[in-house]
């Protein structure tokens, strides 16, 4: 085999192996539920639960669904979620999504840093 052909074949095999490794590990992460940062999400959810935090949502609210999706399936099950589909169910709310943390309401979708600051949860 010519040196040029050998180089091309070797390079092609390496690229295929790297792509295979990437897709395998990505698939493995999704199957097991431990994608990058998953443990931090769970720690924050536990801390929010420990601070008696509640997420108020509506079933017709895209931002509410997005807020829950931010935690993922594994961590979201540790968050207290209350569904308010009409004003009569939650007269104290001005809108959804809303977080009630330490007795105070915070409106709108919050990212992890905002939730950590509001709740006092320090995730290492």
């Amino acid at each position: 085999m010519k040196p040029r052909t050998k180089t091309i074949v070797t390079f092609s095999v390496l690229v295929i192996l790297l792509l295979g490794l990437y897709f395998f590990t990505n698939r493995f992460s999704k199957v097991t539920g431990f994608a990058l940062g998953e443990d931090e999400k769970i720690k924050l959810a536990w801390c929010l639960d420990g601070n008696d935090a509640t997420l108020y949502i509506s079933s017709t609210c895209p931002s509410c669904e997005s807020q829950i999706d931010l935690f993922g399936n594994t961590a979201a099950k540790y968050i207290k979620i209350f569904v308010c589909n009409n004003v009569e169910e939650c007269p104290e709310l001005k809108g959804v999504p809303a977080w009630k943390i330490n007795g105070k309401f915070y409106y709108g979708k919050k990212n992890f840093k905002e939730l950590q600051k509001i709740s006092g949860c320090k995730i290492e």
Side-chain angles (χ1 to χ4, degrees), residues 8-24:
I8 291 172
V9 169
T10 303
F11 180 75
S12 299
V13 168
L14 285 173
V15 167
I16 291 170
L17 285 173
L18 287 174
L19 286 172
L21 183 62
Y22 170 77
F23 287 114
F24 173 75

Side-chain angles (χ1 to χ4, degrees), residues 36-114:
L36 182 64
E38 191 70 22
D39 54 337
E40 283 84 12
K41 294 176 186 179
I42 293 171
K43 288 177 185 176
L44 179 58
W46 282 344
C47 183
L48 289 169
D49 184 49
N51 286 346
D52 202 29
T54 303
L55 173 61
Y56 292 85
I57 64 167
S58 168
S59 59
T60 59
C61 168
S63 293
C64 300
E65 185 176 324
S66 177
Q67 181 72 78
I68 295 169
D69 289 345
L70 188 66
F71 282 90
N73 291 334
T74 306
K77 65 184 173 189
Y78 299 111
I79 297 171
K80 293 180 194 129
I81 299 174
F82 191 84
V83 180
C84 300
N85 285 322
N86 58 50
V87 178
E88 293 81 27
E89 291 177 345
C90 303
E92 72 276 12
L93 289 182
K94 296 176 187 172
V96 288
W99 285 93
K100 186 176 183 182
I101 302 173
N102 299 323
K104 187 174 178 187
F105 284 100
Y106 300 90
Y107 294 96
K109 182 181 170 188
K110 304 293 180 207
N111 63 38
F112 291 130
K113 289 187 188 262
E114 291 171 311

